[in-house]
Amino acid sequence: MEYQTDSSSLILLFSKSGTFYTDENGMVVDFEPSKDNPFIETKVDEPMAYDGFVVKKSIVHLVVPEGVKGFADDFFRGIEVKERFTLPNRLLYIGNSCHDPNSYGCVFAECRLPEVRIPNTVIELGAFAFGDSHIDYLRIPSSIRSPYLRQFKDCSISTLSLPVEWRECVSLDEHGRLKLSGVLNTTNDGYLIWPSTSVGKLEFYE
């Protein structure tokens, strides 16, 4: 069930995962998980951390409702989604930082995500949007126009699915790195330059 109300100049959008608070532009600025889908915090040893450990957060599912157009910087950084991760069909931005020098992105950086299907309404990926994340399955549309801003730097992607019209333009080298050619270029398609990202399997969808 999804509905919205106006509260303190913020719009409340609801999904099975919880309550998403957005501004008038549809940008998520806060999130409250539902009672049956709480964040679980776990201490993990980390010698380089100040206290010798870091706190990792996980959640069973993260279903983002329709009405969300984008996310504030650093918003879901460092979480693990256990079972289901769904983005809304009318999403426009994942880190709206391509033309904003004061924005540092990192919306889903350092995350562990089961399946990411980026909607074909998305036109921009901000800086380090999914940087240093592990993604089991990633599907990218041809709608995105973003320069290189380390969007997928240092990621580990088990399966990458790209539009079939790119079949002759994209391949994997012997180290599991993407190679671009043909109609793809660094101005509009720079986000596909992943010098330190490993891809286990490359496939194409129609």
Side-chain angles (χ1 to χ4, degrees):
M1 178 177 179
E2 297 177 5
Y3 61 100
Q4 63 185 51
T5 60
D6 194 347
S7 175
S8 303
S9 299
L10 292 179
I11 297 172
L12 279 63
L13 299 171
F14 301 85
S15 79
K16 62 181 293 186
S17 298
T19 305
F20 293 75
Y21 298 80
T22 73
D23 63 16
E24 66 275 10
N25 298 314
M27 189 73 65
V28 176
V29 296
D30 200 1
F31 170 69
E32 181 180 349
S34 59
K35 291 183 179 180
D36 59 351
N37 184 51
F39 278 124
I40 299 173
E41 296 187 348
T42 305
K43 288 184 178 180
V44 179
D45 292 337
E46 177 52 69
M48 300 298 292
Y50 178 78
D51 294 317
F53 66 87
V54 293
V55 177
K56 298 287 188 179
K57 295 173 69 174
S58 65
I59 194 168
V60 174
H61 49 78
L62 187 61
V63 178
V64 183
E66 296 297 335
V68 170
K69 299 297 194 299
F71 304 91
D73 288 345
D74 214 26
F75 196 72
F76 284 110
R77 185 173 189 163
I79 69 166
E80 176 181 1
V81 180
K82 297 284 190 180
E83 295 181 4
R84 182 184 177 193
F85 176 78
T86 305
L87 296 172
N89 291 326
R90 295 180 180 85
L91 187 69
L92 296 177
Y93 310 102
I94 301 179
N96 185 16
S97 58
C98 293
H99 308 290
D100 182 358
N102 298 314
S103 181
Y104 55 86
C106 300
V107 176
F108 295 109
E110 300 171 2
C111 290
R112 188 175 184 93
L113 305 171
E115 179 176 285
V116 178
R117 292 177 177 263
I118 300 177
N120 58 16
T121 52
V122 172
I123 56 178
E124 286 188 358
L125 293 179
F128 215 62
F130 291 92
D132 198 22
S133 290
H134 179 93
I135 304 173
D136 291 340
Y137 176 90
L138 172 63
R139 178 166 171 162
I140 293 179
S142 58
S143 57
I144 301 171
R145 295 292 181 268
S146 294
Y148 175 66
L149 292 170
R150 302 175 298 122
Q151 286 93 332
F152 295 96
K153 187 177 186 296
D154 297 329
C155 279
S156 174
I157 301 168
S158 299
T159 300
L160 173 64
S161 185
L162 299 176
V164 69
E165 60 265 31
W166 293 358
R167 185 185 295 275
E168 303 302 321
C169 306
V170 182
S171 60
L172 290 180
D173 66 16
E174 64 273 19
H175 303 294
R177 308 286 193 260
L178 282 186
K179 297 195 300 182
L180 306 184
S181 63
V183 298
L184 299 181
N185 62 79
T186 56
T187 300
N188 290 328
D189 310 299
Y191 67 94
L192 289 170
I193 300 174
W194 304 347
S196 57
T197 296
S198 63
V199 177
K201 176 185 177 183
L202 178 63
E203 64 180 32
F204 298 90
Y205 67 88
E206 296 184 357

